Amino acid sequence: MEVQRVQAIAYDSLSSETIPPEFIRPESEQPGLTTYHEQNLEVPVIDFGDQDEEKLVQLIADGSSEWGLFQIVNHDIPSDVISKLQKAGKEFFELPQEEKEVYAKPPGSKSVEGYGTKLQKEVEGKKGWVDHLFHKIWPPSAINDQFWPKNPPSYREVNEEYAKYLHRVVEKLLRSLSLGLGLGGHDLKNAVGGDELIYLMKINYYPPCPRPDLALGVVAHTDMSAFTILVPNEVQGLQVSRDGNWFDVKYIPNALIIHIGDQIEILSNGKYKAVLHRSTVNKEKTRMSWPVFLEPPQELDVGPHHKLVSEKNPPKYKTKKYSDYVYCKLNKIPQ
């Protein structure tokens, strides 16, 4: 059975001013009713090039514990590397449908890798207004060429170049997050898999939507990963939950958005908080984003770090294999 992609549904909906009912969220989730516009939300913006490590560690620790989200500037990834990554991703989604389907996620696959529309169990049959492409970009041993587009021709080169620069950002972030917990500089990196840490690229493609007040691109969630490094395009869409309200996260050109994910919350025994976020869509413009999920190896056991638990601070989370955690979360099974 052929899967209908959101990109095709969006094209068919252009003239109708309506969307299929399976994309209409319940009133408690509709952006038109639940987005708070009374004040701007000042998400932390951190100068990642600050030479004062103690200050940088404190800012990252504060952002991770109070928000679970922050933006970094002066991260040393050249702006042209980011723009080439975005251009190649955009060109892939503009290919004819049959070319994209070559990279479709195989039916019944336990991996998320590939081109697709549905990611997790959908509650009450409701759908997100998004198509996506997943593939691993690091380490080299984890890469599956089957899911790397050959078109546009520059696709592999620009993704490999981005991964090379991203590697430095990840190392520095892990060190800062670790020191911010009072651990050694390498403790957190080792706990999430060391050099086996997986870099999973996802490209989100949110086509124009006639009723952006009723639909969501991606519903409210926290990321399963250790943490996520996201590049958005200039179209507004990321929202975070704060004090029970939904707020837009301001777009800053060339900034990287860092989301604390479930595994870092678990490892920190709750000191760092995974951020609850969602994606809205736009009536006239296509929104795209390029999150890279930093994931432990599938078979790695993840639980509160042993140096952070004691009689006074007992473990708040179960220790379990990352693959088991993912399975439970995608299938809405209580953890």
Side-chain angles (χ1 to χ4, degrees):
M1 188 177 110
E2 191 175 325
V3 178
Q4 193 172 21
R5 303 302 182 191
V6 174
Q7 203 168 351
I9 294 168
Y11 184 78
D12 293 341
S13 303
L14 279 176
S15 56
S16 65
E17 290 295 305
T18 60
I19 56 175
E22 62 267 25
F23 291 97
I24 298 175
R25 310 305 307 182
E27 286 191 1
S28 60
E29 295 179 32
Q30 290 175 13
L33 298 175
T34 58
T35 301
Y36 192 75
H37 294 293
E38 302 306 309
Q39 66 183 77
N40 291 327
L41 192 67
E42 296 297 330
V43 170
V45 178
I46 298 172
D47 180 353
F48 207 55
D50 195 319
Q51 297 302 306
D52 183 344
E53 185 179 51
E54 196 174 323
K55 177 184 168 191
L56 182 62
V57 164
Q58 190 61 54
L59 288 170
I60 288 172
D62 290 347
S64 302
S65 55
E66 293 170 21
W67 292 81
L69 173 124
F70 49 92
Q71 302 200 55
I72 59 172
V73 295
N74 296 329
H75 44 68
D76 286 342
I77 302 182
S79 57
D80 70 309
V81 170
I82 291 174
S83 60
K84 284 189 289 188
L85 177 83
Q86 293 175 306
K87 182 171 183 283
K90 183 169 180 282
E91 286 175 358
F92 169 76
F93 277 92
E94 288 171 351
L95 292 173
Q97 194 58 40
E98 59 271 18
E99 279 196 60
K100 294 192 289 262
E101 293 295 345
V102 169
Y103 304 97
K105 176 183 167 180
S109 171
K110 290 184 178 179
S111 167
V112 297
E113 285 192 276
Y115 170 67
T117 297
K118 178 182 171 182
L119 177 58
Q120 60 185 353
K121 186 177 180 182
E122 289 160 341
V123 179
E124 297 171 0
K126 295 296 181 185
K127 297 180 178 178
W129 193 265
V130 63
D131 294 326
H132 59 249
L133 174 68
F134 275 105
H135 59 79
K136 294 169 186 170
I137 59 172
W138 191 266
S141 59
I143 288 173
N144 187 338
D145 291 328
Q146 177 185 350
F147 300 115
W148 283 61
K150 293 182 173 57
N151 217 354
S154 64
Y155 189 90
R156 176 172 287 273
E157 182 187 340
V158 300
N159 274 268
E160 286 177 343
E161 188 178 19
Y162 181 63
K164 181 183 73 179
Y165 280 101
L166 197 64
H167 198 64
R168 300 173 198 168
V169 175
V170 170
E171 295 281 309
K172 190 171 176 179
L173 269 173
L174 279 170
R175 175 177 168 80
S176 300
L177 287 164
S178 198
L179 293 173
L181 292 169
L183 299 173
H186 289 287
D187 282 349
L188 212 51
K189 178 183 174 179
N190 292 337
V192 293
D195 292 333
E196 300 303 307
L197 185 68
I198 304 290
Y199 292 41
L200 177 65
M201 167 68 78
K202 182 188 185 192
I203 307 177
N204 288 307
Y205 186 91
Y206 308 96
C209 177
R211 294 299 306 271
D213 56 322
L214 301 179
L216 285 172
V218 177
V219 299
H221 68 287
T222 57
D223 291 346
M224 297 180 288
S225 56
F227 59 97
T228 304
I229 299 178
L230 181 138
V231 169
N233 72 353
E234 72 287 352
V235 180
Q236 181 62 50
L238 177 63
Q239 292 190 333
V240 298
S241 176
R242 187 86 170 158
D243 303 324
N245 293 308
W246 285 101
F247 294 87
D248 290 325
V249 175
K250 182 183 171 187
Y251 168 71
I252 299 175
N254 288 315
L256 299 176
I257 302 172
I258 313 299
H259 296 173
I260 297 300
D262 297 344
Q263 306 313 306
I264 289 285
E265 178 173 322
I266 290 165
L267 278 159
S268 73
N269 205 28
K271 181 176 178 185
Y272 295 155
K273 302 289 191 287
V275 62
L276 185 65
H277 58 288
R278 69 182 187 183
S279 300
T280 60
V281 291
N282 189 282
K283 190 168 185 175
E284 283 89 27
K285 296 175 182 175
T286 295
R287 179 170 186 262
M288 293 186 71
S289 65
W290 287 257
V292 172
F293 302 98
L294 286 306
E295 298 194 330
Q298 292 286 304
E299 297 303 302
L300 188 73
D301 288 329
V302 181
H305 198 283
H306 66 93
K307 292 183 182 178
L308 299 176
V309 295
S310 63
E311 281 187 32
K312 289 183 180 177
N313 188 32
K316 298 181 175 74
Y317 307 85
K318 295 175 184 172
T319 296
K320 59 172 62 179
K321 272 187 191 172
Y322 182 62
S323 58
D324 292 340
Y325 186 92
V326 170
Y327 179 84
C328 290
K329 184 143 181 176
L330 289 179
N331 290 285
K332 304 284 194 290
I333 299 168
Q335 299 273 9

